[in-house]
């Protein structure tokens, strides 16, 4: 069996065609994503004795489905952390809600974080897994910038205005 010889000109043409195809795919993916989101900026600070001098797990949950949001917004932090694996199994596609998890060490003040949240979300909630009793949840409103102060036994979320940038 004979194989046709490939000359240098053919290789160049195939390479250019491949690069053109890759560029077209990248542009098409960027244009057709249809993603409509909003940037949420979080500034976090912790006290030196936060959570009885233990790391503070923090989760932001953005929920698309209004019924699921109603259910999750009634949970306290302890219930969220106990039930979230089951909620993930109940909504396996990953499209019903999105979550971001962090853990902050007492006294830590990390740089601000920017999170892309889908505009189609019914709402968003922040949970902090403290050892102390309490709800340890905060329902996020329309603000785009906020400060999360992780205190000794609970946390406070404060909206920041543009002047604070």
């Amino acid at each position: 069996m004979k194989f046709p010889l490939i000359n240098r000109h053919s290789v160049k043409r195939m390479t250019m065609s491949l690069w053109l195809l890759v560029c077209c795919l990248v542009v098409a993916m960027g244009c057709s994503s249809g993603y409509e989101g909003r940037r949420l900026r979080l500034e976090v600070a912790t006290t030196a004795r936060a959570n009885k001098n233990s790391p503070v797990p923090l989760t932001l949950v953005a929920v698309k489905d209004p019924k699921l949001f109603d259910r999750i917004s009634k949970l306290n932090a302890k219930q969220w952390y106990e039930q979230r694996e089951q909620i993930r199994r109940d909504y396996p596609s990953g499209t019903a809600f999105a979550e971001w998890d962090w853990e902050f060490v007492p006294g830590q003040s990390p740089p601000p974080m920017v999170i892309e949240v889908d505009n189609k979300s019914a709402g968003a909630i922040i949970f902090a897994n403290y050892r102390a009793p309490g709800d340890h949840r905060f329902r996020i409103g329309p603000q785009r910038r906020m400060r999360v102060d992780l205190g000794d036994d609970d946390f406070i979320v404060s909206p920041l205005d543009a002047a604070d940038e």
Side-chain angles (χ1 to χ4, degrees):
M1 178 177 223
K2 285 188 162 186
F3 293 101
L5 292 176
I6 299 176
N7 63 29
R8 204 170 34 187
H9 182 66
S10 297
V11 171
K12 245 184 187 178
R13 192 172 29 197
M14 286 189 310
T15 304
M16 294 207 28
S17 296
L18 182 61
W19 275 110
L20 182 60
L21 176 65
V22 168
C23 289
C24 288
L25 286 173
V26 168
V27 169
M29 286 172 42
C31 293
S32 67
S33 70
Y35 178 75
E36 293 182 28
R38 69 176 172 140
R39 285 199 167 121
L40 185 63
R41 181 180 166 134
L42 291 178
E43 296 178 14
V44 179
T46 62
T47 63
R49 298 172 49 108
N51 201 21
K52 300 188 188 316
N53 201 27
S54 297
V56 183
L58 190 76
T59 303
L60 180 126
V61 184
V63 187
K64 285 187 184 178
D65 179 70
K67 288 181 183 177
L68 179 61
F69 179 70
D70 188 50
R71 175 182 163 196
I72 291 175
S73 68
K74 292 176 182 169
L75 300 176
N76 63 39
K78 183 178 186 216
Q79 293 167 326
W80 164 253
Y81 287 103
E82 289 172 348
Q83 296 177 28
R84 73 177 173 172
E85 285 304 319
Q86 184 59 52
I87 294 171
R88 288 175 184 155
R89 286 191 292 268
D90 291 345
Y91 298 89
S93 68
T95 58
F97 67 96
E99 60 184 309
W100 295 265
D101 289 302
W102 304 275
E103 191 169 87
F104 297 100
V105 175
Q108 182 182 23
S109 291
M113 299 171 286
V114 178
I115 299 124
E116 292 282 338
V117 179
D118 193 329
N119 274 342
K120 295 176 185 166
S121 293
I125 303 167
I126 296 175
F127 294 102
N129 200 7
Y130 276 88
R131 292 180 175 184
D135 286 343
H136 309 301
R137 74 168 180 253
F138 183 86
R139 215 169 154 162
I140 297 175
Q143 63 267 25
R144 293 183 182 264
R145 294 188 67 242
M146 61 192 79
R147 179 179 168 93
V148 179
D149 288 298
L150 300 170
D152 293 357
D153 297 313
D154 203 358
F155 73 107
I156 298 169
V157 177
S158 310
L160 298 172
D161 21 283
D164 294 336
E165 289 189 57

